[in-house]
Amino acid sequence: MTPRLRGLDQFGNDLNPAIVGMIRSWQGDSELDELYQRLQARKKRRGFLDSFAEALVALQARRCGCSIEVEVPTPSGKTSDLLLQRNGVKLYVHVKRLGRERPRNRRLKISSRLRILEQIEKPWVVKIRWREDLQDEEMQRYVIETASFIETARLGDEHVVRDDEGVELGGVKIVAPNDEKRVSLVIGLPDGFVDDSQRIERLLQRAQKQFMPKEANIILVCTPHQLGANEVESALLGSHIERWDEYPAKGSRVAHGRSEDGFWNHNVMAESQLAGWFWLAPMHNEYQGKMWIRDDCRHPTSVIDLAEDLFAIKLNLR
């Protein structure tokens, strides 16, 4: 009988070899052997990636000089994924992974015509999508109509571009303000825009149920793409909206702000004071993430400093 492959043997070929080597060195480790054994016991890729996300956080914590406990029981009968301690400061960590609901491994051919849209001097982050089989003339029509829409659109507006027969060529949506005062493009799937904010909020709610009472807790949500940082931010703080109850910034006609649909806008979520995002990039060797601190955060400075040192890694996000 052929022996069954264990987790790292089965899925490790898709990971950075240096990271795999470090995780294998955890076998017998007084702190991390339990996490190593869990990775090895995983039979399906989904469960393996969930544990791998925790392993990336553990790697980052060890690099930063923290002691680590795995699967710490809470009074509610649940567990905290990790307890990190350094210089007497404790931080309970809850790691959640946003998986893909459908395959996204296809490659899109990006026309050079689309770069014209980035030259439009409008302060928007713009999501665009187009049919994969567009011919050059159809792509030209899509770009011209999309550019015309962007010139007059407001935050949250969406438009579908069609040909003379009414067949859809693609779509465009104004999703957020852009401080650079010109268009920044986000590429969506050909068959529609995907908004993961609600899925992320459900992950945040699940994580809060695992909090250690009266202690410092942080939720870390990881995604398979860098744009996930913006999605987690919107889930936490609320989606971008026009604010007619505020004065606009100098040089702007309309003020922009956040809606009341963010996770941190709910009073029942008051225990959540710290949150972060990181990129689940299996072939990268370094933790890459971003962190948010609630405006009314009650944690001591020592806790905030530890969290920022671990998880506020600056990224050049597009």
Side-chain angles (χ1 to χ4, degrees):
M1 178 181 291
T2 304
R4 182 176 63 83
L5 291 177
R6 307 193 73 192
L8 285 170
D9 304 314
Q10 185 174 0
F11 305 111
N13 290 335
D14 297 329
L15 308 179
N16 184 292
I19 289 181
V20 173
M22 284 186 279
I23 293 175
R24 288 190 184 278
S25 72
W26 294 350
Q27 185 174 12
D29 186 282
S30 60
E31 294 181 341
L32 295 175
D33 179 72
E34 181 179 347
L35 187 49
Y36 166 78
Q37 296 298 340
R38 191 187 313 151
L39 276 162
Q40 289 290 66
R42 294 298 193 183
K43 299 177 182 179
K44 296 186 180 297
R45 181 175 176 81
R46 177 178 176 178
F48 178 85
L49 288 176
D50 289 342
S51 294
F52 179 69
E54 296 176 23
L56 287 182
V57 175
L59 278 169
Q60 173 68 2
R62 178 158 282 188
R63 285 172 178 151
C64 294
C66 292
S67 64
I68 306 168
E69 292 182 47
V70 178
E71 291 292 308
V72 181
T74 68
S76 66
K78 299 183 182 296
T79 59
S80 171
D81 294 324
L82 302 169
L83 167 59
L84 310 181
Q85 298 188 68
R86 192 176 71 183
N87 300 327
V89 180
K90 297 192 297 184
L91 186 61
Y92 289 84
V93 182
H94 311 271
V95 182
K96 297 298 179 185
R97 183 179 69 89
L98 181 70
R100 290 172 173 154
E101 287 194 324
R102 50 182 167 174
R104 296 188 190 182
N105 56 358
R106 51 183 165 180
R107 293 182 177 230
L108 293 177
K109 182 180 179 181
I110 299 178
S111 170
S112 59
R113 292 185 183 276
L114 294 170
R115 297 303 176 193
I116 297 173
L117 301 177
E118 294 179 313
Q119 305 306 313
I120 299 175
E121 294 185 353
K122 291 292 181 179
W124 300 128
V125 177
V126 178
K127 260 189 179 180
I128 57 173
R129 60 178 179 81
W130 62 94
R131 236 179 45 224
E132 294 177 275
D133 60 347
L134 292 188
Q135 301 301 309
D136 188 62
E137 288 185 3
E138 293 174 313
M139 177 58 76
Q140 182 175 1
R141 175 169 180 154
Y142 169 76
V143 170
I144 291 173
E145 190 168 329
T146 295
S148 177
F149 168 78
I150 292 171
E151 290 285 358
T152 59
R154 292 161 58 173
L155 183 61
D157 286 354
E158 185 173 353
H159 177 64
V160 175
V161 180
R162 302 180 185 276
D163 65 14
D164 292 334
E165 283 72 43
V167 177
E168 185 173 316
L169 302 179
V172 52
K173 183 176 182 179
I174 311 298
V175 294
N178 183 21
D179 293 336
E180 296 181 6
K181 306 303 179 185
R182 68 172 57 243
V183 166
S184 175
L185 296 178
V186 175
I187 308 301
L189 292 173
D191 46 354
F193 296 125
V194 178
D195 183 359
D196 286 323
S197 297
Q198 291 187 346
R199 294 178 62 209
I200 292 170
E201 182 159 353
R202 288 196 293 270
L203 293 178
L204 296 171
Q205 291 170 348
R206 284 171 48 196
Q208 182 160 357
K209 293 177 181 178
Q210 298 172 293
F211 273 19
M212 182 66 76
K214 300 180 181 180
E215 298 285 353
N217 294 263
I218 185 170
I219 304 171
L220 299 178
V221 179
C222 65
T223 66
H225 47 79
Q226 286 188 320
L227 294 175
N230 297 327
E231 295 172 347
V232 172
E233 184 174 59
S234 291
L236 280 171
L237 306 181
S239 52
H240 291 279
I241 59 171
E242 293 182 350
R243 295 294 299 263
W244 296 98
D245 57 337
E246 297 181 3
Y247 288 105
K250 187 176 180 179
S252 300
R253 290 182 298 173
V254 179
H256 297 117
R258 298 281 184 171
S259 69
E260 298 297 318
D261 58 357
F263 180 74
W264 276 352
N265 287 318
H266 306 323
N267 291 332
V268 294
M269 307 302 176
E271 292 181 2
S272 177
Q273 304 281 303
L274 305 170
W277 161 88
F278 67 96
W279 186 20
L280 188 66
M283 290 307 296
H284 283 261
N285 191 32
E286 298 293 333
Y287 182 93
Q288 300 184 65
K290 189 174 181 180
M291 198 189 104
W292 296 269
I293 304 169
R294 198 165 181 160
D295 286 341
D296 56 354
C297 183
R298 301 184 300 270
H299 292 315
T301 302
S302 58
V303 169
I304 295 173
D305 289 345
L306 174 60
E308 288 186 320
D309 188 36
L310 291 169
F311 305 125
I313 312 301
K314 292 182 179 180
L315 279 177
N316 181 22
L317 294 174
R318 294 191 61 190

